[in-house]
Each structure stands twice: as structure tokens, then as C-alpha cells.
PDB file of all heavy atoms in Angstrom:
ATOM      1  N   ASN F   1       7.035   2.967 -97.619  1.00 90.00           N
ATOM      2  CA  ASN F   1       8.179   2.085 -97.844  1.00 90.00           C
ATOM      3  C   ASN F   1       9.345   2.456 -96.933  1.00 90.00           C
ATOM      4  O   ASN F   1      10.076   1.584 -96.452  1.00 90.00           O
ATOM      5  CB  ASN F   1       8.605   2.133 -99.305  1.00 90.00           C
ATOM      6  CG  ASN F   1       7.647   1.384-100.211  1.00 90.00           C
ATOM      7  OD1 ASN F   1       6.904   0.518 -99.761  1.00 90.00           O
ATOM      8  ND2 ASN F   1       7.645   1.724-101.486  1.00 90.00           N
ATOM      9  N   ALA F   2       9.544   3.761 -96.691  1.00 93.00           N
ATOM     10  CA  ALA F   2      10.598   4.189 -95.774  1.00 93.00           C
ATOM     11  C   ALA F   2      10.287   3.743 -94.346  1.00 93.00           C
ATOM     12  O   ALA F   2      11.185   3.344 -93.599  1.00 93.00           O
ATOM     13  CB  ALA F   2      10.756   5.711 -95.839  1.00 93.00           C
ATOM     14  N   TYR F   3       9.018   3.803 -93.980  1.00 91.00           N
ATOM     15  CA  TYR F   3       8.604   3.305 -92.663  1.00 91.00           C
ATOM     16  C   TYR F   3       8.963   1.826 -92.528  1.00 91.00           C
ATOM     17  O   TYR F   3       9.483   1.385 -91.494  1.00 91.00           O
ATOM     18  CB  TYR F   3       7.107   3.510 -92.471  1.00 91.00           C
ATOM     19  CG  TYR F   3       6.540   2.783 -91.276  1.00 91.00           C
ATOM     20  CD1 TYR F   3       6.553   3.356 -90.010  1.00 91.00           C
ATOM     21  CD2 TYR F   3       5.997   1.503 -91.416  1.00 91.00           C
ATOM     22  CE1 TYR F   3       6.054   2.668 -88.911  1.00 91.00           C
ATOM     23  CE2 TYR F   3       5.496   0.815 -90.329  1.00 91.00           C
ATOM     24  CZ  TYR F   3       5.521   1.400 -89.070  1.00 91.00           C
ATOM     25  OH  TYR F   3       5.031   0.713 -87.995  1.00 91.00           O
ATOM     26  N   LYS F   4       8.668   1.037 -93.564  1.00 85.00           N
ATOM     27  CA  LYS F   4       9.010  -0.384 -93.522  1.00 85.00           C
ATOM     28  C   LYS F   4      10.516  -0.561 -93.316  1.00 85.00           C
ATOM     29  O   LYS F   4      10.954  -1.428 -92.559  1.00 85.00           O
ATOM     30  CB  LYS F   4       8.605  -1.062 -94.820  1.00 85.00           C
ATOM     31  CG  LYS F   4       7.117  -1.103 -95.117  1.00 85.00           C
ATOM     32  CD  LYS F   4       6.899  -1.730 -96.490  1.00 85.00           C
ATOM     33  CE  LYS F   4       5.465  -1.654 -96.965  1.00 85.00           C
ATOM     34  NZ  LYS F   4       5.317  -2.200 -98.327  1.00 85.00           N
ATOM     35  N   ALA F   5      11.302   0.266 -93.999  1.00 87.00           N
ATOM     36  CA  ALA F   5      12.748   0.108 -93.976  1.00 87.00           C
ATOM     37  C   ALA F   5      13.323   0.376 -92.591  1.00 87.00           C
ATOM     38  O   ALA F   5      14.197  -0.358 -92.120  1.00 87.00           O
ATOM     39  CB  ALA F   5      13.399   1.030 -95.000  1.00 87.00           C
ATOM     40  N   VAL F   6      12.866   1.421 -91.922  1.00 89.00           N
ATOM     41  CA  VAL F   6      13.462   1.764 -90.634  1.00 89.00           C
ATOM     42  C   VAL F   6      12.805   1.041 -89.471  1.00 89.00           C
ATOM     43  O   VAL F   6      13.399   0.946 -88.394  1.00 89.00           O
ATOM     44  CB  VAL F   6      13.427   3.292 -90.384  1.00 89.00           C
ATOM     45  CG1 VAL F   6      14.212   4.027 -91.454  1.00 89.00           C
ATOM     46  CG2 VAL F   6      12.003   3.814 -90.307  1.00 89.00           C
ATOM     47  N   SER F   7      11.590   0.511 -89.664  1.00 84.00           N
ATOM     48  CA  SER F   7      10.916  -0.187 -88.573  1.00 84.00           C
ATOM     49  C   SER F   7      11.047  -1.696 -88.675  1.00 84.00           C
ATOM     50  O   SER F   7      10.944  -2.405 -87.679  1.00 84.00           O
ATOM     51  CB  SER F   7       9.426   0.175 -88.536  1.00 84.00           C
ATOM     52  OG  SER F   7       8.728  -0.398 -89.639  1.00 84.00           O
ATOM     53  N   GLY F   8      11.250  -2.204 -89.903  1.00 77.00           N
ATOM     54  CA  GLY F   8      11.300  -3.639 -90.104  1.00 77.00           C
ATOM     55  C   GLY F   8       9.959  -4.305 -90.006  1.00 77.00           C
ATOM     56  O   GLY F   8       9.872  -5.513 -89.805  1.00 77.00           O
ATOM     57  N   LYS F   9       8.873  -3.537 -90.169  1.00 74.00           N
ATOM     58  CA  LYS F   9       7.533  -4.082 -90.034  1.00 74.00           C
ATOM     59  C   LYS F   9       6.806  -4.071 -91.366  1.00 74.00           C
ATOM     60  O   LYS F   9       7.036  -3.206 -92.204  1.00 74.00           O
ATOM     61  CB  LYS F   9       6.725  -3.262 -89.016  1.00 74.00           C
ATOM     62  CG  LYS F   9       7.268  -3.337 -87.601  1.00 74.00           C
ATOM     63  CD  LYS F   9       6.409  -2.514 -86.652  1.00 74.00           C
ATOM     64  CE  LYS F   9       6.938  -2.595 -85.236  1.00 74.00           C
ATOM     65  NZ  LYS F   9       6.114  -1.785 -84.297  1.00 74.00           N
ATOM     66  N   ALA F  10       5.917  -5.028 -91.518  1.00 65.00           N
ATOM     67  CA  ALA F  10       5.057  -5.055 -92.693  1.00 65.00           C
ATOM     68  C   ALA F  10       3.934  -4.045 -92.522  1.00 65.00           C
ATOM     69  O   ALA F  10       3.579  -3.660 -91.419  1.00 65.00           O
ATOM     70  CB  ALA F  10       4.467  -6.450 -92.890  1.00 65.00           C
ATOM     71  N   VAL F  11       3.391  -3.595 -93.645  1.00 67.00           N
ATOM     72  CA  VAL F  11       2.292  -2.637 -93.643  1.00 67.00           C
ATOM     73  C   VAL F  11       1.215  -3.170 -94.563  1.00 67.00           C
ATOM     74  O   VAL F  11       1.505  -3.668 -95.643  1.00 67.00           O
ATOM     75  CB  VAL F  11       2.759  -1.249 -94.123  1.00 67.00           C
ATOM     76  CG1 VAL F  11       1.575  -0.301 -94.254  1.00 67.00           C
ATOM     77  CG2 VAL F  11       3.788  -0.668 -93.170  1.00 67.00           C
ATOM     78  N   PHE F  12      -0.030  -3.063 -94.156  1.00 59.00           N
ATOM     79  CA  PHE F  12      -1.124  -3.461 -95.030  1.00 59.00           C
ATOM     80  C   PHE F  12      -2.233  -2.437 -94.928  1.00 59.00           C
ATOM     81  O   PHE F  12      -2.420  -1.791 -93.905  1.00 59.00           O
ATOM     82  CB  PHE F  12      -1.650  -4.852 -94.685  1.00 59.00           C
ATOM     83  CG  PHE F  12      -2.364  -4.931 -93.361  1.00 59.00           C
ATOM     84  CD1 PHE F  12      -3.747  -4.911 -93.302  1.00 59.00           C
ATOM     85  CD2 PHE F  12      -1.656  -5.020 -92.181  1.00 59.00           C
ATOM     86  CE1 PHE F  12      -4.410  -4.981 -92.099  1.00 59.00           C
ATOM     87  CE2 PHE F  12      -2.312  -5.093 -90.964  1.00 59.00           C
ATOM     88  CZ  PHE F  12      -3.691  -5.074 -90.923  1.00 59.00           C
ATOM     89  N   ALA F  13      -2.961  -2.257 -96.027  1.00 55.00           N
ATOM     90  CA  ALA F  13      -4.083  -1.322 -96.035  1.00 55.00           C
ATOM     91  C   ALA F  13      -5.277  -1.975 -95.365  1.00 55.00           C
ATOM     92  O   ALA F  13      -5.579  -3.133 -95.602  1.00 55.00           O
ATOM     93  CB  ALA F  13      -4.431  -0.933 -97.471  1.00 55.00           C
ATOM     94  N   SER F  14      -5.958  -1.238 -94.516  1.00 56.00           N
ATOM     95  CA  SER F  14      -7.030  -1.808 -93.715  1.00 56.00           C
ATOM     96  C   SER F  14      -8.341  -1.940 -94.470  1.00 56.00           C
ATOM     97  O   SER F  14      -9.253  -2.628 -94.026  1.00 56.00           O
ATOM     98  CB  SER F  14      -7.266  -0.935 -92.486  1.00 56.00           C
ATOM     99  OG  SER F  14      -7.820   0.315 -92.879  1.00 56.00           O
ATOM    100  N   GLY F  15      -8.483  -1.262 -95.577  1.00 59.00           N
ATOM    101  CA  GLY F  15      -9.751  -1.255 -96.295  1.00 59.00           C
ATOM    102  C   GLY F  15     -10.646  -0.097 -95.889  1.00 59.00           C
ATOM    103  O   GLY F  15     -11.702   0.116 -96.478  1.00 59.00           O
ATOM    104  N   LYS F  16     -10.237   0.654 -94.883  1.00 69.00           N
ATOM    105  CA  LYS F  16     -11.009   1.817 -94.474  1.00 69.00           C
ATOM    106  C   LYS F  16     -10.867   2.923 -95.520  1.00 69.00           C
ATOM    107  O   LYS F  16      -9.919   2.938 -96.305  1.00 69.00           O
ATOM    108  CB  LYS F  16     -10.543   2.321 -93.108  1.00 69.00           C
ATOM    109  CG  LYS F  16     -10.756   1.323 -91.979  1.00 69.00           C
ATOM    110  CD  LYS F  16     -10.268   1.880 -90.657  1.00 69.00           C
ATOM    111  CE  LYS F  16     -10.484   0.877 -89.532  1.00 69.00           C
ATOM    112  NZ  LYS F  16      -9.984   1.379 -88.235  1.00 69.00           N
ATOM    113  N   LYS F  17     -11.775   3.865 -95.514  1.00 79.00           N
ATOM    114  CA  LYS F  17     -11.751   4.980 -96.456  1.00 79.00           C
ATOM    115  C   LYS F  17     -11.881   6.295 -95.700  1.00 79.00           C
ATOM    116  O   LYS F  17     -12.973   6.858 -95.580  1.00 79.00           O
ATOM    117  CB  LYS F  17     -12.872   4.824 -97.486  1.00 79.00           C
ATOM    118  CG  LYS F  17     -12.702   3.589 -98.371  1.00 79.00           C
ATOM    119  CD  LYS F  17     -13.793   3.506 -99.426  1.00 79.00           C
ATOM    120  CE  LYS F  17     -13.597   2.282-100.318  1.00 79.00           C
ATOM    121  NZ  LYS F  17     -14.639   2.177-101.367  1.00 79.00           N
ATOM    122  N   PRO F  18     -10.759   6.798 -95.182  1.00 86.00           N
ATOM    123  CA  PRO F  18     -10.818   8.024 -94.391  1.00 86.00           C
ATOM    124  C   PRO F  18     -11.043   9.289 -95.221  1.00 86.00           C
ATOM    125  O   PRO F  18     -11.374  10.333 -94.669  1.00 86.00           O
ATOM    126  CB  PRO F  18      -9.452   8.064 -93.703  1.00 86.00           C
ATOM    127  CG  PRO F  18      -8.546   7.288 -94.613  1.00 86.00           C
ATOM    128  CD  PRO F  18      -9.406   6.208 -95.208  1.00 86.00           C
ATOM    129  N   PHE F  19     -10.872   9.191 -96.551  1.00 91.00           N
ATOM    130  CA  PHE F  19     -10.999  10.378 -97.400  1.00 91.00           C
ATOM    131  C   PHE F  19     -12.022  10.154 -98.512  1.00 91.00           C
ATOM    132  O   PHE F  19     -12.121   9.065 -99.076  1.00 91.00           O
ATOM    133  CB  PHE F  19      -9.642  10.736 -98.016  1.00 91.00           C
ATOM    134  CG  PHE F  19      -8.561  10.955 -96.990  1.00 91.00           C
ATOM    135  CD1 PHE F  19      -7.520  10.045 -96.847  1.00 91.00           C
ATOM    136  CD2 PHE F  19      -8.598  12.055 -96.147  1.00 91.00           C
ATOM    137  CE1 PHE F  19      -6.544  10.227 -95.899  1.00 91.00           C
ATOM    138  CE2 PHE F  19      -7.621  12.250 -95.192  1.00 91.00           C
ATOM    139  CZ  PHE F  19      -6.587  11.337 -95.065  1.00 91.00           C
ATOM    140  N   ARG F  20     -12.756  11.195 -98.818  1.00 91.00           N
ATOM    141  CA  ARG F  20     -13.776  11.117 -99.856  1.00 91.00           C
ATOM    142  C   ARG F  20     -13.184  11.188-101.258  1.00 91.00           C
ATOM    143  O   ARG F  20     -13.803  10.745-102.227  1.00 91.00           O
ATOM    144  CB  ARG F  20     -14.801  12.251 -99.676  1.00 91.00           C
ATOM    145  CG  ARG F  20     -15.651  12.116 -98.420  1.00 91.00           C
ATOM    146  CD  ARG F  20     -16.742  13.166 -98.369  1.00 91.00           C
ATOM    147  NE  ARG F  20     -16.212  14.487 -98.048  1.00 91.00           N
ATOM    148  CZ  ARG F  20     -16.158  15.510 -98.873  1.00 91.00           C
ATOM    149  NH1 ARG F  20     -16.582  15.374-100.114  1.00 91.00           N
ATOM    150  NH2 ARG F  20     -15.677  16.675 -98.487  1.00 91.00           N
ATOM    151  N   ASP F  21     -11.998  11.768-101.378  1.00 93.00           N
ATOM    152  CA  ASP F  21     -11.423  11.998-102.710  1.00 93.00           C
ATOM    153  C   ASP F  21     -10.243  11.093-103.022  1.00 93.00           C
ATOM    154  O   ASP F  21      -9.547  11.284-104.017  1.00 93.00           O
ATOM    155  CB  ASP F  21     -10.983  13.459-102.840  1.00 93.00           C
ATOM    156  CG  ASP F  21      -9.876  13.831-101.855  1.00 93.00           C
ATOM    157  OD1 ASP F  21      -9.739  13.123-100.824  1.00 93.00           O
ATOM    158  OD2 ASP F  21      -9.168  14.819-102.099  1.00 93.00           O
ATOM    159  N   CYS F  22     -10.017  10.067-102.187  1.00 90.00           N
ATOM    160  CA  CYS F  22      -8.840   9.220-102.418  1.00 90.00           C
ATOM    161  C   CYS F  22      -8.998   7.897-101.690  1.00 90.00           C
ATOM    162  O   CYS F  22      -9.300   7.874-100.482  1.00 90.00           O
ATOM    163  CB  CYS F  22      -7.579   9.930-101.922  1.00 90.00           C
ATOM    164  SG  CYS F  22      -6.062   8.981-102.146  1.00 90.00           S
ATOM    165  N   ASP F  23      -8.782   6.785-102.418  1.00 83.00           N
ATOM    166  CA  ASP F  23      -8.787   5.471-101.784  1.00 83.00           C
ATOM    167  C   ASP F  23      -7.476   4.726-102.048  1.00 83.00           C
ATOM    168  O   ASP F  23      -7.407   3.497-101.940  1.00 83.00           O
ATOM    169  CB  ASP F  23      -9.965   4.634-102.256  1.00 83.00           C
ATOM    170  CG  ASP F  23      -9.977   4.422-103.772  1.00 83.00           C
ATOM    171  OD1 ASP F  23      -9.038   4.900-104.451  1.00 83.00           O
ATOM    172  OD2 ASP F  23     -10.910   3.788-104.276  1.00 83.00           O
ATOM    173  N   ASP F  24      -6.427   5.486-102.389  1.00 85.00           N
ATOM    174  CA  ASP F  24      -5.111   4.896-102.609  1.00 85.00           C
ATOM    175  C   ASP F  24      -4.668   4.160-101.342  1.00 85.00           C
ATOM    176  O   ASP F  24      -4.624   4.744-100.262  1.00 85.00           O
ATOM    177  CB  ASP F  24      -4.115   6.013-102.946  1.00 85.00           C
ATOM    178  CG  ASP F  24      -2.742   5.493-103.325  1.00 85.00           C
ATOM    179  OD1 ASP F  24      -2.256   4.566-102.665  1.00 85.00           O
ATOM    180  OD2 ASP F  24      -2.146   6.051-104.271  1.00 85.00           O
ATOM    181  N   PRO F  25      -4.326   2.855-101.449  1.00 82.00           N
ATOM    182  CA  PRO F  25      -3.950   2.098-100.247  1.00 82.00           C
ATOM    183  C   PRO F  25      -2.728   2.655 -99.533  1.00 82.00           C
ATOM    184  O   PRO F  25      -2.625   2.543 -98.313  1.00 82.00           O
ATOM    185  CB  PRO F  25      -3.702   0.682-100.771  1.00 82.00           C
ATOM    186  CG  PRO F  25      -3.517   0.824-102.243  1.00 82.00           C
ATOM    187  CD  PRO F  25      -4.339   2.010-102.650  1.00 82.00           C
ATOM    188  N   ASN F  26      -1.803   3.266-100.271  1.00 86.00           N
ATOM    189  CA  ASN F  26      -0.639   3.867 -99.619  1.00 86.00           C
ATOM    190  C   ASN F  26      -1.024   5.102 -98.822  1.00 86.00           C
ATOM    191  O   ASN F  26      -0.460   5.367 -97.755  1.00 86.00           O
ATOM    192  CB  ASN F  26       0.426   4.231-100.656  1.00 86.00           C
ATOM    193  CG  ASN F  26       1.217   3.031-101.120  1.00 86.00           C
ATOM    194  OD1 ASN F  26       1.563   2.158-100.329  1.00 86.00           O
ATOM    195  ND2 ASN F  26       1.499   2.967-102.413  1.00 86.00           N
ATOM    196  N   VAL F  27      -1.971   5.870 -99.322  1.00 90.00           N
ATOM    197  CA  VAL F  27      -2.452   7.033 -98.582  1.00 90.00           C
ATOM    198  C   VAL F  27      -3.154   6.582 -97.304  1.00 90.00           C
ATOM    199  O   VAL F  27      -2.929   7.133 -96.223  1.00 90.00           O
ATOM    200  CB  VAL F  27      -3.405   7.884 -99.448  1.00 90.00           C
ATOM    201  CG1 VAL F  27      -4.063   8.977 -98.605  1.00 90.00           C
ATOM    202  CG2 VAL F  27      -2.647   8.505-100.617  1.00 90.00           C
ATOM    203  N   VAL F  28      -3.999   5.563 -97.427  1.00 85.00           N
ATOM    204  CA  VAL F  28      -4.703   5.035 -96.261  1.00 85.00           C
ATOM    205  C   VAL F  28      -3.705   4.514 -95.231  1.00 85.00           C
ATOM    206  O   VAL F  28      -3.817   4.789 -94.029  1.00 85.00           O
ATOM    207  CB  VAL F  28      -5.687   3.929 -96.673  1.00 85.00           C
ATOM    208  CG1 VAL F  28      -6.319   3.291 -95.447  1.00 85.00           C
ATOM    209  CG2 VAL F  28      -6.765   4.493 -97.591  1.00 85.00           C
ATOM    210  N   ALA F  29      -2.712   3.768 -95.686  1.00 84.00           N
ATOM    211  CA  ALA F  29      -1.714   3.216 -94.767  1.00 84.00           C
ATOM    212  C   ALA F  29      -0.920   4.325 -94.092  1.00 84.00           C
ATOM    213  O   ALA F  29      -0.669   4.277 -92.879  1.00 84.00           O
ATOM    214  CB  ALA F  29      -0.781   2.275 -95.526  1.00 84.00           C
ATOM    215  N   ALA F  30      -0.506   5.340 -94.863  1.00 90.00           N
ATOM    216  CA  ALA F  30       0.256   6.457 -94.293  1.00 90.00           C
ATOM    217  C   ALA F  30      -0.573   7.210 -93.262  1.00 90.00           C
ATOM    218  O   ALA F  30      -0.074   7.620 -92.205  1.00 90.00           O
ATOM    219  CB  ALA F  30       0.724   7.395 -95.404  1.00 90.00           C
ATOM    220  N   TYR F  31      -1.847   7.377 -93.559  1.00 89.00           N
ATOM    221  CA  TYR F  31      -2.735   8.063 -92.628  1.00 89.00           C
ATOM    222  C   TYR F  31      -2.910   7.256 -91.341  1.00 89.00           C
ATOM    223  O   TYR F  31      -2.829   7.805 -90.227  1.00 89.00           O
ATOM    224  CB  TYR F  31      -4.087   8.305 -93.298  1.00 89.00           C
ATOM    225  CG  TYR F  31      -5.143   8.882 -92.383  1.00 89.00           C
ATOM    226  CD1 TYR F  31      -5.130  10.232 -92.038  1.00 89.00           C
ATOM    227  CD2 TYR F  31      -6.156   8.075 -91.867  1.00 89.00           C
ATOM    228  CE1 TYR F  31      -6.092  10.773 -91.187  1.00 89.00           C
ATOM    229  CE2 TYR F  31      -7.129   8.605 -91.024  1.00 89.00           C
ATOM    230  CZ  TYR F  31      -7.088   9.949 -90.687  1.00 89.00           C
ATOM    231  OH  TYR F  31      -8.048  10.468 -89.852  1.00 89.00           O
ATOM    232  N   GLU F  32      -3.136   5.959 -91.470  1.00 83.00           N
ATOM    233  CA  GLU F  32      -3.351   5.144 -90.283  1.00 83.00           C
ATOM    234  C   GLU F  32      -2.079   4.944 -89.469  1.00 83.00           C
ATOM    235  O   GLU F  32      -2.142   4.730 -88.258  1.00 83.00           O
ATOM    236  CB  GLU F  32      -3.944   3.792 -90.685  1.00 83.00           C
ATOM    237  CG  GLU F  32      -5.343   3.941 -91.269  1.00 83.00           C
ATOM    238  CD  GLU F  32      -6.070   2.622 -91.395  1.00 83.00           C
ATOM    239  OE1 GLU F  32      -5.387   1.587 -91.524  1.00 83.00           O
ATOM    240  OE2 GLU F  32      -7.308   2.626 -91.348  1.00 83.00           O
ATOM    241  N   LEU F  33      -0.920   5.047 -90.115  1.00 86.00           N
ATOM    242  CA  LEU F  33       0.341   4.994 -89.382  1.00 86.00           C
ATOM    243  C   LEU F  33       0.635   6.294 -88.653  1.00 86.00           C
ATOM    244  O   LEU F  33       1.494   6.336 -87.774  1.00 86.00           O
ATOM    245  CB  LEU F  33       1.498   4.686 -90.346  1.00 86.00           C
ATOM    246  CG  LEU F  33       1.597   3.257 -90.872  1.00 86.00           C
ATOM    247  CD1 LEU F  33       2.606   3.178 -92.006  1.00 86.00           C
ATOM    248  CD2 LEU F  33       1.977   2.292 -89.753  1.00 86.00           C
ATOM    249  N   GLY F  34      -0.057   7.370 -89.017  1.00 90.00           N
ATOM    250  CA  GLY F  34       0.189   8.673 -88.415  1.00 90.00           C
ATOM    251  C   GLY F  34       1.252   9.476 -89.123  1.00 90.00           C
ATOM    252  O   GLY F  34       1.840  10.397 -88.542  1.00 90.00           O
ATOM    253  N   LEU F  35       1.502   9.150 -90.409  1.00 94.00           N
ATOM    254  CA  LEU F  35       2.540   9.849 -91.168  1.00 94.00           C
ATOM    255  C   LEU F  35       2.010  11.093 -91.870  1.00 94.00           C
ATOM    256  O   LEU F  35       2.791  11.983 -92.225  1.00 94.00           O
ATOM    257  CB  LEU F  35       3.168   8.914 -92.210  1.00 94.00           C
ATOM    258  CG  LEU F  35       3.674   7.553 -91.710  1.00 94.00           C
ATOM    259  CD1 LEU F  35       4.365   6.807 -92.843  1.00 94.00           C
ATOM    260  CD2 LEU F  35       4.594   7.722 -90.515  1.00 94.00           C
ATOM    261  N   VAL F  36       0.691  11.164 -92.113  1.00 94.00           N
ATOM    262  CA  VAL F  36       0.139  12.256 -92.897  1.00 94.00           C
ATOM    263  C   VAL F  36      -1.289  12.531 -92.442  1.00 94.00           C
ATOM    264  O   VAL F  36      -1.966  11.642 -91.900  1.00 94.00           O
ATOM    265  CB  VAL F  36       0.162  11.895 -94.407  1.00 94.00           C
ATOM    266  CG1 VAL F  36      -0.817  10.789 -94.723  1.00 94.00           C
ATOM    267  CG2 VAL F  36      -0.073  13.109 -95.279  1.00 94.00           C
ATOM    268  N   ASN F  37      -1.732  13.763 -92.649  1.00 92.00           N
ATOM    269  CA  ASN F  37      -3.109  14.152 -92.372  1.00 92.00           C
ATOM    270  C   ASN F  37      -3.775  14.617 -93.656  1.00 92.00           C
ATOM    271  O   ASN F  37      -3.106  14.874 -94.665  1.00 92.00           O
ATOM    272  CB  ASN F  37      -3.157  15.289 -91.346  1.00 92.00           C
ATOM    273  CG  ASN F  37      -2.642  14.858 -89.989  1.00 92.00           C
ATOM    274  OD1 ASN F  37      -2.999  13.793 -89.497  1.00 92.00           O
ATOM    275  ND2 ASN F  37      -1.798  15.684 -89.390  1.00 92.00           N
TER     276      ASN F  37
END
């Protein structure tokens, strides 16, 4: 949400599953944006 605020861009979850223990769309979006590993 902070990324949206400072960038002015929409964010959507891609449907990918980069982690075996989590499919939270916010986690996926943060990971694909490069905010978290």
C-alpha cells in the first residue's frame, strides 16, 4: 500500500506462487515488486 502511495501505480497479484509456505497475494506482490525476499 505504501508503494502504491508513493508511486501512484496500481498493484495486482500475478497468481504465481514463489513460496511453498505462503500464498498471500500481498506477499506475492511485495516479492514481485522487489520489496522483500
Side-chain angles (χ1 to χ4, degrees):
N1 286 339
Y3 168 86
K4 295 176 188 177
V6 299
S7 71
K9 295 181 179 180
V11 174
F12 69 100
S14 69
K16 297 180 180 178
K17 296 183 179 180
F19 303 110
R20 293 186 286 111
D21 63 338
C22 180
D23 59 2
D24 186 318
N26 282 320
V27 172
V28 175
Y31 174 77
E32 294 192 333
L33 286 169
L35 308 185
V36 69
N37 295 315

